[in-house]
Amino acid sequence: MQQAKRLEEFKKSVTNKFNIYNSLFLSLPYRNIENVGMLIPLLFDHCEKGLKDGKKPQEILDTFFNSFVGITDERERLDFMFRIIQYVERQVVLYDSVEDSAFPKLQEYTNSLSIKDYFSLVDKNKNWDKIAKKLSTFSARIVLTAHPTQFYTPAVLDIITELRTLIDSNQINDIDVTLQQLGLTSLVNAKKPTPLDEAKNIIYILRNTYYDAIGELFQYVKSNIRVADFANYDIMKLGFWPGGDRDGNPFVTAEITKQVADELRINLMKCYYNDLKSLRKKLTFKGLQEDLNKLSDSLYKSMFDARALVSYEAIISSLIEISTKLNEDYHGLYLEDLNKLIDKVHIFKTHFATLDIRQDHSKHLLVVETILKKAGAIKESLDELSKKELINWLLKKDLQLNAKDFKEGLVKDTITNIQQLKEIQARNGQEGCNRYIISNSEDIFSVLFVFGLFRWTGWAEEDITFDIVPLFETMKGMDAAEEVMQTLFEIKAYRKHLERRQEAHTIMLGFSDGTKDGGYLKANWSILKTKETLSKVCKKNGIKVMFFDGRGGPPARGGGKTHRFYAAQTKDVANHEIQLTIQGQTITSTYGTKEQFMHNSEQLLTAGLSNNLFGKEHTISAAQRKLIEELSELSFAKYDALKQHDKFIPYLEHRSTLKYYSNANIGSRPGKRGNKKQLELSDLRAISFVGSWSQLKQNVPGYFGLGTAIKALADQGRLKEVKNLYKEVPFFRALMSNSMMSLAKTNFDLTNYMKDDSEFGAFWNILHEECQLSEKMLLQISGQKILMENEAVSRESVKIREKIVLPLLVIQQNALYHITKNSEFKSLYEKIVTRSLYGNINASRNSA
């Protein structure tokens, strides 16, 4: 019943409104596009029918141009296709705006557990003491990254915000004008953004959305928790990677890191200044003017001069002094408003978001090797040292490193950056930058190299105010994780470091490369098992462990529901804090408005708390584990065979959009690691890897191998076992649901022409057959008749978005075809492929 009401509201507030406002595009008063809007519906219909009839994209477009447009010249056709792309891109922007505007209304008919619902449950169960205790220590950390899956420029994001507001109040004339503005505004960056540009774009969202949203969420919890002195200011924390994430991005330097740290602090001071400015209009009392003016002047200076620092302690002490006078002399008038600002200062201090440093383990190895070579410890390679000797150098030998003594850029920058982290902490506070993440961790040296580099660059051991966070992302890394962590806990120097870090350790698992490496089910199952194992290891050693997930990994592969993943964690996984990265479209689509941010943040909190405060704790029996293990290995065998296929990499290189990601000015980071001439899977960035499958509408990373695995058990007469697994194990059900969303976004009709390709036909058929089999088997075990049957609104949204971009996809495939034929207009076709990336991924709102 609830789902039916929600779908009805969706059709009224989204589908109908979009169709009405979309009609305004038809009359945009601009030269060269007057006929495009009229022809788009015809083109969509022609594409849809043509693909179902098995026609090739080039045949579909030839017929369209001959029958409806009357353009025979290839150059003129290319111009018209560019105009179609520009038009469809703007339709996507409009649809995003309409859907975001409808979000609050749709939430009235959701079954999702809000904080308000959660407190009602607590009230019913009379366990306020338990919830108060948990909420006083529990935390969710959202870490914003600059991974290139968000193509909207800041100007377009402003237009989307304006459209949302206008759509809320149905201001048709203003919407018409804003759509005209959109028609004239470029959706494409003129040049590649720098890491500083990326950071500024995301800081804009922090300042204009998250600052108030987190403040309001905290106030709601504080006023409803029934604890007089509730002060968990870390209940929602923000992390930040742009400007600190060096992994695969040579453009992130020590200077960039310093500039981004300053930008975070300066923009926070602007938020405080504006709040104080509003308060001053209310606090017009003589006895407060001097204090208000003094604080206001300090904040104002700090907004424009990075050297004009105002400490957290100074801001808080000033506000508390004002609060005391307000209470004693002015009857506490507007005290509640003042307390809200005081709470925000407690939450954000002087850092706004914690700037994480991240680098790949292999880069640290090169740095340490170069340093020890210069120190005379080795001649060429670290292999010359025994494990014990290398540990001794890292933990006991003192080196006085100076960046100027080295000619290698990587070494100079690493030393400079680690040395300057003290200054960043002094300016932004210790919480401003206190985590160093090492990707591709596979042994103890991933952590010890970083510890040693801190020592060698002038940090006294007792002053290393940083958490060193290993990221075990490959299958090999996850297999080694237990031994690595246990060995680290047994090293006295490192154990003392952990004592100074409150006996806590953050660990990242899987991330995007886990799925790329192990396939969908095996990667996600391995991550859960590794979490359980590491939870035991850490507990045994008296360490409080926090797991940090990448959105590209288990929480949302397939664009699935993040809260569903966390609510399905087993009781054997440590549950002190939820940490995950959000990136690209997720920043604006899932956390883009205040309402969305608060709703999805609440979902994280309730998901993290529900599974051990209400009802039955999630467990997976030995028999169920054995069954998941079987399915995991069977699906991995299928995926691994695909990876080993001699056409796997060539298919991505020559039949997908892979190499065009680096041409699009969407991110500062290169599309692959290293500069090898021969492309290898390990070099591929997960974003371009997953995104390429998404552009093909084949979405391989979201399901491949599942169909084969389930079918194998069905052939043994064990389908009922898998059905029971789906019914009884929330973790397994969450993974399967995410896969069903991924499958709902596939459309092999688009690339049907490849089945007869002399080079790639057989490979395409492998992909197609597994897609069909996976859909069939997932429907069987779930009992659903269609994919996403129980998620009608999400299904409808996917359907509309796929409909909007279908002409783009056909144009893209047509361009890829002509590129392989070395057309005289090859360079223009390549531009078409690059341009069509934007609308397609913006419409998907997640890359698989």
Side-chain angles (χ1 to χ4, degrees):
M1 186 67 179
Q2 193 83 336
Q3 179 170 245
K5 285 182 179 177
R6 195 162 187 256
L7 184 59
E8 185 183 337
E9 182 61 46
F10 180 87
K11 286 178 177 175
K12 186 170 70 177
S13 298
V14 179
T15 311
N16 293 346
K17 278 193 177 182
F18 172 68
N19 289 334
I20 290 166
Y21 298 138
N22 190 33
S23 65
L24 295 174
F25 271 124
L26 299 178
S27 56
L28 286 181
Y30 304 131
R31 188 167 55 86
N32 294 329
I33 67 164
E34 55 268 14
N35 294 324
V36 175
M38 304 283 193
L39 291 167
I40 289 284
L42 282 171
L43 177 56
F44 166 76
D45 188 59
H46 200 62
C47 290
E48 189 177 46
K49 288 176 180 173
L51 291 175
K52 280 181 181 172
D53 291 341
K55 290 183 179 175
K56 299 174 182 177
Q58 58 269 28
E59 291 174 332
I60 292 169
L61 289 173
D62 278 345
T63 307
F64 173 74
F65 278 115
N66 289 329
S67 304
F68 299 108
V69 190
I71 299 177
T72 54
D73 181 77
E74 188 174 7
R75 184 68 180 77
E76 285 183 41
R77 286 184 175 186
L78 280 160
D79 287 343
F80 196 87
M81 282 189 268
F82 273 114
R83 294 204 291 275
I84 291 170
I85 290 170
Q86 291 169 334
Y87 188 93
V88 172
E89 283 172 345
R90 284 156 180 80
Q91 282 186 302
V92 173
V93 172
L94 174 61
Y95 185 77
D96 282 348
S97 304
V98 172
E99 196 168 67
D100 290 346
S101 170
F103 183 82
K105 290 179 185 173
L106 291 172
Q107 290 318 111
E108 293 173 18
Y109 304 100
T110 183
N111 292 319
S112 303
L113 201 64
S114 68
I115 287 285
K116 184 179 178 182
D117 299 327
Y118 194 75
F119 286 154
S120 296
L121 272 173
V122 175
D123 206 31
K124 194 183 291 183
N125 288 279
K126 306 298 180 191
N127 53 358
W128 277 104
D129 289 345
K130 194 174 182 182
I131 180 64
K133 185 180 177 184
K134 188 70 181 176
L135 270 177
S136 293
T137 57
F138 193 76
S139 174
R141 182 191 296 247
I142 293 170
V143 180
L144 301 109
T145 81
H147 294 350
T149 57
Q150 170 56 269
F151 300 166
Y152 291 143
T153 62
V156 174
L157 290 174
D158 281 339
I159 291 173
I160 290 175
T161 302
E162 178 66 13
L163 277 172
R164 283 181 197 138
T165 306
L166 296 173
I167 289 165
D168 279 342
S169 49
N170 290 313
Q171 296 180 50
I172 193 84
N173 291 328
D174 291 331
I175 291 169
D176 187 23
V177 173
T178 308
L179 289 177
Q180 290 183 45
Q181 177 192 353
L182 178 63
L184 294 171
T185 302
S186 174
L187 271 71
V188 182
N189 290 317
K191 58 181 182 180
K192 253 189 185 328
T194 66
L196 185 59
D197 292 332
E198 290 171 332
K200 285 181 177 179
N201 288 347
I202 298 176
I203 289 170
Y204 174 90
I205 299 168
L206 291 185
R207 185 180 163 193
N208 291 285
T209 303
Y210 296 177
Y211 174 75
D212 284 331
I214 289 179
E216 285 188 27
L217 181 61
F218 177 81
Q219 290 302 324
Y220 186 82
V221 174
K222 180 183 177 181
S223 58
N224 286 276
I225 194 61
R226 299 191 185 182
V227 175
D229 56 349
F230 180 77
N232 181 8
Y233 299 110
D234 288 335
I235 194 162
M236 282 301 305
K237 293 192 279 192
L238 292 174
F240 204 81
W241 277 15
D245 182 7
R246 288 154 167 70
D247 182 13
N249 194 340
F251 307 114
V252 176
T253 62
E255 180 57 28
I256 288 287
T257 300
K258 181 175 175 293
Q259 289 175 342
V260 171
D262 284 342
E263 281 291 325
L264 282 163
R265 186 187 65 258
I266 286 167
N267 277 274
L268 178 61
M269 295 303 121
K270 290 176 182 176
C271 292
Y272 290 160
Y273 178 81
N274 288 332
D275 272 2
L276 191 64
K277 187 177 177 182
S278 297
L279 264 173
R280 288 175 69 189
K281 291 176 183 177
K282 297 177 179 179
L283 304 181
T284 52
F285 319 126
K286 186 178 180 181
L288 300 181
Q289 293 309 298
E290 187 179 342
D291 293 333
L292 286 166
N293 289 339
K294 186 179 176 184
L295 178 57
S296 184
D297 289 346
S298 298
L299 292 172
Y300 187 80
K301 286 174 188 171
S302 70
M303 288 161 47
F304 299 103
D305 184 354
R307 296 164 299 177
L309 303 174
V310 190
S311 70
Y312 159 64
E313 291 78 14
I315 300 170
I316 279 294
S317 61
S318 296
L319 290 173
I320 288 175
E321 193 172 334
I322 293 167
S323 171
T324 303
K325 289 180 182 178
L326 188 62
N327 217 18
E328 291 176 354
D329 303 334
Y330 301 101
H331 312 292
L333 198 61
Y334 298 121
L335 184 62
E336 187 179 337
D337 294 333
L338 179 59
N339 284 337
K340 285 178 182 176
L341 176 56
I342 290 172
D343 284 338
K344 282 183 181 176
V345 176
H346 281 311
I347 291 166
F348 299 111
K349 297 184 173 65
T350 50
H351 64 280
F352 215 162
T354 301
L355 179 61
D356 288 344
I357 308 299
R358 185 169 79 126
Q359 181 58 288
D360 191 271
H361 173 52
S362 62
K363 301 297 183 188
H364 291 142
L365 189 147
L366 290 173
V367 171
V368 169
E369 199 165 61
T370 306
I371 289 168
L372 291 183
K373 208 184 294 184
K374 190 171 186 64
I378 56 173
K379 290 182 180 178
E380 292 297 330
S381 167
L382 289 180
D383 294 337
E384 296 163 34
L385 296 173
S386 68
K387 184 176 179 179
K388 187 177 179 181
E389 288 171 329
L390 182 52
I391 291 173
N392 190 53
W393 270 98
L394 294 166
L395 300 184
K396 294 181 181 175
K397 299 272 188 173
D398 291 323
L399 296 174
Q400 302 297 319
L401 297 182
N402 188 328
K404 293 176 182 175
D405 295 338
F406 296 87
K407 62 179 186 293
E408 299 84 357
L410 175 66
V411 181
K412 288 167 82 80
D413 189 72
T414 302
I415 293 169
T416 303
N417 187 54
I418 295 177
Q419 286 175 334
Q420 76 167 357
L421 295 177
K422 277 183 185 176
E423 184 190 352
I424 290 174
Q425 285 193 344
R427 295 161 79 90
N428 286 29
Q430 197 182 119
E431 288 176 64
C433 187
N434 61 7
R435 312 202 312 171
Y436 200 121
I437 299 159
I438 311 103
S439 0
N440 279 307
S441 295
E442 293 181 350
D443 58 36
I444 60 169
F445 292 108
S446 58
V447 170
L448 294 185
F449 282 167
V450 174
F451 190 78
L453 285 168
F454 268 88
R455 288 183 64 255
W456 296 342
T457 52
W459 289 72
E461 281 186 39
E462 60 273 16
D463 294 332
I464 300 176
T465 46
F466 264 76
D467 296 326
I468 303 173
V469 182
L471 164 49
F472 300 107
E473 56 191 312
T474 61
M475 292 294 110
K476 182 181 175 184
M478 282 188 275
D479 288 343
E482 179 182 8
E483 185 184 346
V484 168
M485 295 313 300
Q486 183 58 50
T487 306
L488 285 170
F489 294 151
E490 290 168 3
I491 295 173
K492 285 182 181 177
Y494 191 68
R495 184 62 204 226
K496 282 182 179 176
H497 169 68
L498 291 181
E499 286 172 16
R500 292 187 290 270
R501 301 304 294 161
Q502 287 77 50
E503 301 280 17
H505 210 302
T506 301
I507 300 172
M508 285 195 81
L509 292 172
F511 209 49
S512 305
D513 283 343
T515 308
K516 190 182 78 177
D517 185 33
Y520 180 74
L521 183 56
K522 177 157 184 167
N524 289 317
W525 177 234
S526 297
I527 288 166
L528 181 70
K529 288 191 299 178
T530 308
K531 278 186 177 180
E532 291 176 333
T533 301
L534 291 177
S535 295
K536 287 175 190 167
V537 168
C538 290
K539 189 175 182 180
K540 182 179 77 175
N541 287 277
I543 299 295
K544 178 181 173 182
V545 64
M546 275 80 67
F547 293 112
F548 179 13
D549 295 298
R551 181 176 161 82
R557 173 58 62 235
K561 308 292 186 185
T562 306
H563 68 272
R564 182 165 58 200
F565 166 77
Y566 282 112
Q569 297 290 283
T570 66
K571 69 179 181 64
D572 296 321
V573 173
N575 187 35
H576 306 296
E577 184 172 318
I578 282 176
Q579 299 186 21
L580 80 158
T581 61
I582 61 170
Q583 62 202 41
Q585 312 99 307
T586 316
I587 294 173
T588 49
S589 67
T590 309
Y591 297 88
T593 66
K594 191 160 72 172
E595 294 85 0
Q596 288 172 324
F597 181 92
M598 290 177 71
H599 170 76
N600 286 296
S601 295
E602 286 182 29
Q603 292 293 286
L604 287 179
L605 290 172
T606 57
L609 296 169
S610 297
N611 56 19
N612 59 6
L613 282 181
F614 296 116
K616 184 182 174 186
E617 290 184 329
H618 295 318
T619 57
I620 305 177
S621 69
Q624 289 167 335
R625 285 174 179 275
K626 188 181 176 190
L627 185 57
I628 298 174
E629 196 71 46
E630 272 189 82
L631 289 166
S632 165
E633 291 304 322
L634 286 165
S635 66
F636 175 68
K638 180 71 174 177
Y639 177 72
D640 194 48
L642 185 76
K643 275 200 313 181
Q644 305 306 325
H645 196 291
D646 60 356
K647 296 301 177 189
F648 185 77
I649 293 295
Y651 181 81
L652 282 172
E653 279 191 288
H654 303 297
R655 288 294 183 271
S656 83
T657 59
L658 181 69
K659 60 189 174 187
Y660 299 96
Y661 269 78
S662 57
N663 297 339
N665 294 327
I666 56 172
S668 65
R669 194 164 63 170
K672 66 185 183 76
R673 297 180 175 99
N675 296 301
K676 295 177 194 168
K677 193 171 182 182
Q678 185 69 33
L679 183 65
E680 295 176 14
L681 183 59
S682 58
D683 299 327
L684 282 181
R685 302 245 41 123
I687 293 295
S688 48
F689 174 73
V690 173
S692 297
W693 291 115
S694 173
Q695 294 278 321
L696 282 166
K697 289 297 161 192
Q698 294 174 357
N699 294 341
V700 163
Y703 63 84
F704 197 88
L706 281 181
T708 293
I710 298 169
K711 177 75 164 52
L713 293 187
D715 289 344
Q716 297 170 27
R718 299 170 62 195
L719 188 62
K720 190 176 179 182
E721 288 181 46
V722 188
K723 285 183 176 181
N724 288 337
L725 191 68
Y726 178 88
K727 184 180 176 183
E728 295 166 8
V729 180
F731 172 78
F732 183 73
R733 187 165 61 249
L735 292 185
M736 297 306 103
S737 296
N738 286 358
S739 261
M740 284 193 263
M741 181 178 277
S742 194
L743 283 161
K745 296 177 182 177
T746 61
N747 183 359
F748 272 82
D749 287 345
L750 182 69
T751 52
N752 191 54
Y753 68 93
M754 289 188 196
K755 69 181 180 184
D756 300 319
D757 188 279
S758 57
E759 184 178 359
F760 296 108
F763 184 80
W764 183 91
N765 277 301
I766 292 171
L767 303 176
H768 185 219
E769 286 165 12
E770 186 62 21
C771 174
Q772 289 182 310
L773 182 60
S774 295
E775 179 174 343
K776 179 184 173 185
M777 300 315 298
L778 283 171
L779 290 176
Q780 280 192 34
I781 66 166
S782 66
Q784 296 180 24
K785 295 182 179 63
I786 56 172
L787 293 169
M788 299 175 68
E789 183 178 331
N790 300 326
E791 297 176 68
V793 167
S794 293
R795 187 178 71 243
E796 193 68 16
S797 177
V798 167
K799 183 178 163 186
I800 294 170
R801 288 174 178 279
E802 296 299 310
K803 181 177 177 178
I804 292 170
V805 295
L806 185 63
L808 239 66
L809 294 165
V810 170
I811 286 171
Q812 185 185 82
Q813 284 299 316
N814 173 67
L816 287 167
Y817 168 80
H818 281 287
I819 290 165
T820 65
K821 300 301 177 187
N822 284 316
S823 160
E824 63 175 302
F825 299 111
K826 184 178 178 182
S827 63
L828 284 174
Y829 280 115
E830 288 177 332
K831 283 182 182 176
I832 275 188
V833 174
T834 302
R835 275 305 305 274
S836 59
L837 291 171
Y838 294 75
N840 289 340
I841 285 198
N842 281 333
S844 296
R845 283 207 161 181
N846 39 56
S847 293

